[in-house]
Amino acid sequence: MSKTETGVRCMWMRGGTSKGGYFLAEDLPADREDFLLRVMGSPDARQIDGMGGANPLTSKVAVVKKSAREGVDVDYLFLQVFVDQAIVTDAQNCGNILAGIGPFAIERGLVPVRGEKTEVSIFMENTGQIAIATIETPGGRVTYKGEARIDGVPGTSAPVPIVFADTAGSSCGALLPTGNAVDVIDGVACTLIDNGMPCVVMRADALGIKGTESPKELEVNQELRARLEAIRLKAGPMMNLGDVAKKSVPKMTMVSAPTAGGAVSTRTFIPHTCHDAIGVLGAVSVATACLLPSGPASELAVIPGGDEKLLSIEHPTGEMSVIATIKDGEVDRAAVLRTARKLFDGRVFAE
């Protein structure tokens, strides 16, 4: 019998404000794409015949294996399974799903427990970069219980701090792939930036909105959606991403002045659905845009002093804090706090 008939070992986890299936690379069948579409129930707006939650944030996959790279514990490949299209893409990274990689790797025996806290070094295959996640492992086991709270997730969990370094240009080849802090596309001033996630950053008022609207309000604004997609399709080649018509990058972030004491307020299309929050690496890219000498974000952002800057990136359901370390006038490294929780561990079927 084939793997799809007998079921494939899988752990379903919430990572940050996303959730999806975590697989060992060796467990997946050869026809990986067809298998994952069946697992999620795509293409179907409700994903009724699969595990997907009818939203891009709940239709995600992590593929993990022990790393052969020196000083690295595991390799992590992120796959976005589209909801209403038969597409599985590795064109982007996901810093939320990343939050579950450390616990998953320890639970699967890829990484030994190293004390009350276990650092897990993770090579992100999508972008060729390394992240270090610290996992709570009291008594020699992963714990998901704790007092850490992140916006967009009810309750509290064990903290998963993640440090990123050398993420600039991970997908586009440079932090600012056009060499400019500002490019004008269809009459809108844009910052095309990639500090872990390719983003197009624009002022909300330049697109005729306040930037305080709910995601549902923005999703029904057909004129806005058409303008954003037109800009995105033009930005793709400018960011060395090629034709992005069938890609999930770049993300489209509209910024406005902060309303809750943060650095800047955001509304992000990812790219066709308005995010209820903001992605981890998207927040890192937007925070970096705030620190540029010019551009839509830096015009509006409230920036603290010092070489280590805590930037609260506001989003529709709260905020995400990014700690940016400045060296020689540029962002040298960034850290975020996430949480994760195991939801089930078993076998998933695609027949």
Side-chain angles (χ1 to χ4, degrees), residues 216-229:
K216 287 185 178 179
E217 287 179 273
L218 296 179
E219 283 192 4
V220 299
N221 187 334
Q222 296 303 320
E223 181 182 352
L224 172 67
R225 294 182 66 163
R227 289 189 72 188
L228 286 174
E229 184 63 2

PDB file of all heavy atoms in Angstrom, residues 216-229:
ATOM      1  N   LYS A 216     -11.853  42.950   7.109  1.00  0.00           N
ATOM      2  CA  LYS A 216     -13.057  42.678   6.321  1.00  0.00           C
ATOM      3  C   LYS A 216     -13.466  43.890   5.491  1.00  0.00           C
ATOM      4  O   LYS A 216     -13.890  43.752   4.334  1.00  0.00           O
ATOM      5  CB  LYS A 216     -14.206  42.254   7.244  1.00  0.00           C
ATOM      6  CG  LYS A 216     -14.044  40.848   7.814  1.00  0.00           C
ATOM      7  CD  LYS A 216     -15.256  40.435   8.627  1.00  0.00           C
ATOM      8  CE  LYS A 216     -15.099  39.016   9.135  1.00  0.00           C
ATOM      9  NZ  LYS A 216     -16.278  38.579   9.956  1.00  0.00           N
ATOM     10  N   GLU A 217     -13.343  45.086   6.073  1.00  0.00           N
ATOM     11  CA  GLU A 217     -13.656  46.300   5.321  1.00  0.00           C
ATOM     12  C   GLU A 217     -12.747  46.450   4.112  1.00  0.00           C
ATOM     13  O   GLU A 217     -13.191  46.831   3.029  1.00  0.00           O
ATOM     14  CB  GLU A 217     -13.498  47.526   6.226  1.00  0.00           C
ATOM     15  CG  GLU A 217     -14.556  47.716   7.272  1.00  0.00           C
ATOM     16  CD  GLU A 217     -14.277  48.945   8.112  1.00  0.00           C
ATOM     17  OE1 GLU A 217     -13.531  48.832   9.118  1.00  0.00           O
ATOM     18  OE2 GLU A 217     -14.785  50.030   7.758  1.00  0.00           O
ATOM     19  N   LEU A 218     -11.476  46.136   4.285  1.00  0.00           N
ATOM     20  CA  LEU A 218     -10.519  46.295   3.199  1.00  0.00           C
ATOM     21  C   LEU A 218     -10.700  45.227   2.128  1.00  0.00           C
ATOM     22  O   LEU A 218     -10.516  45.491   0.939  1.00  0.00           O
ATOM     23  CB  LEU A 218      -9.093  46.265   3.749  1.00  0.00           C
ATOM     24  CG  LEU A 218      -8.744  47.415   4.706  1.00  0.00           C
ATOM     25  CD1 LEU A 218      -7.314  47.274   5.202  1.00  0.00           C
ATOM     26  CD2 LEU A 218      -8.943  48.768   4.047  1.00  0.00           C
ATOM     27  N   GLU A 219     -11.072  44.037   2.537  1.00  0.00           N
ATOM     28  CA  GLU A 219     -11.236  42.952   1.564  1.00  0.00           C
ATOM     29  C   GLU A 219     -12.393  43.193   0.609  1.00  0.00           C
ATOM     30  O   GLU A 219     -12.374  42.710  -0.519  1.00  0.00           O
ATOM     31  CB  GLU A 219     -11.399  41.608   2.282  1.00  0.00           C
ATOM     32  CG  GLU A 219     -10.089  41.063   2.814  1.00  0.00           C
ATOM     33  CD  GLU A 219     -10.202  39.616   3.254  1.00  0.00           C
ATOM     34  OE1 GLU A 219     -11.272  39.017   3.071  1.00  0.00           O
ATOM     35  OE2 GLU A 219      -9.212  39.093   3.777  1.00  0.00           O
ATOM     36  N   VAL A 220     -13.417  43.915   1.037  1.00  0.00           N
ATOM     37  CA  VAL A 220     -14.549  44.184   0.148  1.00  0.00           C
ATOM     38  C   VAL A 220     -14.339  45.442  -0.680  1.00  0.00           C
ATOM     39  O   VAL A 220     -15.182  45.781  -1.520  1.00  0.00           O
ATOM     40  CB  VAL A 220     -15.877  44.290   0.937  1.00  0.00           C
ATOM     41  CG1 VAL A 220     -16.181  42.990   1.647  1.00  0.00           C
ATOM     42  CG2 VAL A 220     -15.850  45.447   1.922  1.00  0.00           C
ATOM     43  N   ASN A 221     -13.217  46.113  -0.475  1.00  0.00           N
ATOM     44  CA  ASN A 221     -12.883  47.318  -1.249  1.00  0.00           C
ATOM     45  C   ASN A 221     -12.213  46.880  -2.550  1.00  0.00           C
ATOM     46  O   ASN A 221     -10.992  46.735  -2.628  1.00  0.00           O
ATOM     47  CB  ASN A 221     -11.964  48.218  -0.421  1.00  0.00           C
ATOM     48  CG  ASN A 221     -11.698  49.558  -1.086  1.00  0.00           C
ATOM     49  OD1 ASN A 221     -11.762  49.690  -2.311  1.00  0.00           O
ATOM     50  ND2 ASN A 221     -11.370  50.560  -0.285  1.00  0.00           N
ATOM     51  N   GLN A 222     -13.018  46.654  -3.564  1.00  0.00           N
ATOM     52  CA  GLN A 222     -12.506  46.105  -4.817  1.00  0.00           C
ATOM     53  C   GLN A 222     -11.544  47.055  -5.524  1.00  0.00           C
ATOM     54  O   GLN A 222     -10.594  46.622  -6.171  1.00  0.00           O
ATOM     55  CB  GLN A 222     -13.674  45.741  -5.742  1.00  0.00           C
ATOM     56  CG  GLN A 222     -14.573  44.646  -5.194  1.00  0.00           C
ATOM     57  CD  GLN A 222     -13.805  43.363  -4.896  1.00  0.00           C
ATOM     58  OE1 GLN A 222     -12.921  42.957  -5.649  1.00  0.00           O
ATOM     59  NE2 GLN A 222     -14.138  42.714  -3.780  1.00  0.00           N
ATOM     60  N   GLU A 223     -11.804  48.354  -5.420  1.00  0.00           N
ATOM     61  CA  GLU A 223     -10.902  49.326  -6.045  1.00  0.00           C
ATOM     62  C   GLU A 223      -9.519  49.251  -5.410  1.00  0.00           C
ATOM     63  O   GLU A 223      -8.496  49.257  -6.108  1.00  0.00           O
ATOM     64  CB  GLU A 223     -11.463  50.739  -5.906  1.00  0.00           C
ATOM     65  CG  GLU A 223     -10.579  51.809  -6.551  1.00  0.00           C
ATOM     66  CD  GLU A 223     -11.128  53.213  -6.373  1.00  0.00           C
ATOM     67  OE1 GLU A 223     -12.265  53.358  -5.894  1.00  0.00           O
ATOM     68  OE2 GLU A 223     -10.395  54.172  -6.712  1.00  0.00           O
ATOM     69  N   LEU A 224      -9.475  49.169  -4.088  1.00  0.00           N
ATOM     70  CA  LEU A 224      -8.202  49.043  -3.383  1.00  0.00           C
ATOM     71  C   LEU A 224      -7.484  47.769  -3.794  1.00  0.00           C
ATOM     72  O   LEU A 224      -6.279  47.789  -4.087  1.00  0.00           O
ATOM     73  CB  LEU A 224      -8.439  49.050  -1.867  1.00  0.00           C
ATOM     74  CG  LEU A 224      -7.216  48.723  -0.997  1.00  0.00           C
ATOM     75  CD1 LEU A 224      -6.175  49.822  -1.116  1.00  0.00           C
ATOM     76  CD2 LEU A 224      -7.633  48.519   0.462  1.00  0.00           C
ATOM     77  N   ARG A 225      -8.199  46.658  -3.819  1.00  0.00           N
ATOM     78  CA  ARG A 225      -7.577  45.381  -4.158  1.00  0.00           C
ATOM     79  C   ARG A 225      -6.999  45.401  -5.568  1.00  0.00           C
ATOM     80  O   ARG A 225      -5.911  44.868  -5.801  1.00  0.00           O
ATOM     81  CB  ARG A 225      -8.589  44.254  -4.004  1.00  0.00           C
ATOM     82  CG  ARG A 225      -9.022  44.043  -2.571  1.00  0.00           C
ATOM     83  CD  ARG A 225      -9.992  42.896  -2.428  1.00  0.00           C
ATOM     84  NE  ARG A 225      -9.339  41.621  -2.760  1.00  0.00           N
ATOM     85  CZ  ARG A 225      -9.823  40.449  -2.423  1.00  0.00           C
ATOM     86  NH1 ARG A 225     -10.967  40.374  -1.744  1.00  0.00           N
ATOM     87  NH2 ARG A 225      -9.203  39.333  -2.743  1.00  0.00           N
ATOM     88  N   ALA A 226      -7.729  46.022  -6.488  1.00  0.00           N
ATOM     89  CA  ALA A 226      -7.235  46.096  -7.863  1.00  0.00           C
ATOM     90  C   ALA A 226      -5.972  46.948  -7.944  1.00  0.00           C
ATOM     91  O   ALA A 226      -5.010  46.596  -8.651  1.00  0.00           O
ATOM     92  CB  ALA A 226      -8.316  46.664  -8.773  1.00  0.00           C
ATOM     93  N   ARG A 227      -5.925  48.055  -7.216  1.00  0.00           N
ATOM     94  CA  ARG A 227      -4.733  48.910  -7.218  1.00  0.00           C
ATOM     95  C   ARG A 227      -3.536  48.196  -6.603  1.00  0.00           C
ATOM     96  O   ARG A 227      -2.418  48.262  -7.123  1.00  0.00           O
ATOM     97  CB  ARG A 227      -5.011  50.213  -6.455  1.00  0.00           C
ATOM     98  CG  ARG A 227      -5.936  51.180  -7.161  1.00  0.00           C
ATOM     99  CD  ARG A 227      -5.981  52.510  -6.447  1.00  0.00           C
ATOM    100  NE  ARG A 227      -4.737  53.262  -6.617  1.00  0.00           N
ATOM    101  CZ  ARG A 227      -4.455  54.389  -5.969  1.00  0.00           C
ATOM    102  NH1 ARG A 227      -5.324  54.892  -5.094  1.00  0.00           N
ATOM    103  NH2 ARG A 227      -3.321  55.020  -6.174  1.00  0.00           N
ATOM    104  N   LEU A 228      -3.779  47.503  -5.491  1.00  0.00           N
ATOM    105  CA  LEU A 228      -2.692  46.777  -4.835  1.00  0.00           C
ATOM    106  C   LEU A 228      -2.120  45.694  -5.747  1.00  0.00           C
ATOM    107  O   LEU A 228      -0.906  45.527  -5.838  1.00  0.00           O
ATOM    108  CB  LEU A 228      -3.187  46.146  -3.537  1.00  0.00           C
ATOM    109  CG  LEU A 228      -3.422  47.078  -2.351  1.00  0.00           C
ATOM    110  CD1 LEU A 228      -4.040  46.308  -1.192  1.00  0.00           C
ATOM    111  CD2 LEU A 228      -2.126  47.749  -1.914  1.00  0.00           C
ATOM    112  N   GLU A 229      -3.003  44.959  -6.428  1.00  0.00           N
ATOM    113  CA  GLU A 229      -2.513  43.884  -7.292  1.00  0.00           C
ATOM    114  C   GLU A 229      -1.759  44.438  -8.493  1.00  0.00           C
ATOM    115  O   GLU A 229      -0.744  43.872  -8.916  1.00  0.00           O
ATOM    116  CB  GLU A 229      -3.684  43.002  -7.751  1.00  0.00           C
ATOM    117  CG  GLU A 229      -3.266  41.804  -8.583  1.00  0.00           C
ATOM    118  CD  GLU A 229      -2.388  40.794  -7.840  1.00  0.00           C
ATOM    119  OE1 GLU A 229      -2.108  40.985  -6.632  1.00  0.00           O
ATOM    120  OE2 GLU A 229      -1.981  39.796  -8.476  1.00  0.00           O
TER     121      GLU A 229
END
